[in-house]
Amino acid sequence: MVVAIKSGAKVTLNCSHSIENYEVILWYKQQRNDKQLQLLGYIYSENANPEKGMHVEMSGSAYRNQTARLTILNISPESSAVYFCAARFHNAAN
């Protein structure tokens, strides 16, 4: 999806999955001509954990058939990128 937004605005992206026992959603950003992905943060269950300095908010749920949201704040030309979400299994150590 290609989205054009006015500078200074905010935009929210949604992500969901249908995989049993996957309770983590990771959000990434890949800028043009950059092969690396930049981690923006993650949602574990319903707890948002954005990386410091990323100018994003996260909300929603990482549970199966639920919606996790990434809100990009204060859009600027530097915000132009491909944004990814990925579901992951969480294995807590006993």
Side-chain angles (χ1 to χ4, degrees):
M1 165 178 29
V2 175
V3 178
I5 305 292
K6 183 178 178 179
S7 287
K10 65 180 179 178
V11 66
T12 299
L13 305 175
N14 295 322
C15 178
S16 62
H17 69 89
S18 59
I19 308 166
E20 188 78 35
N21 298 320
Y22 276 48
E23 299 173 351
V24 178
I25 294 290
L26 299 116
W27 285 101
Y28 296 97
K29 173 182 176 179
Q30 184 177 31
Q31 293 187 294
R32 175 177 274 200
N33 299 323
D34 191 351
K35 294 180 182 178
Q36 293 187 335
L37 298 178
Q38 180 178 24
L39 178 65
L40 300 173
Y42 66 94
I43 299 174
Y44 170 56
S45 300
E46 295 178 339
N47 300 308
N49 298 281
E51 293 289 303
K52 291 185 187 337
M54 290 294 111
H55 308 291
V56 298
E57 294 176 346
M58 296 176 186
S59 61
S61 173
Y63 292 118
R64 177 182 180 194
N65 298 325
Q66 300 296 311
T67 301
R69 291 173 207 71
L70 172 72
T71 301
I72 306 159
L73 305 171
N74 197 21
I75 294 289
S76 70
E78 293 76 31
S79 304
S80 181
V82 176
Y83 291 83
F84 296 89
C85 70
R88 189 189 89 185
F89 176 76
H90 180 266
N91 185 9
N94 292 333

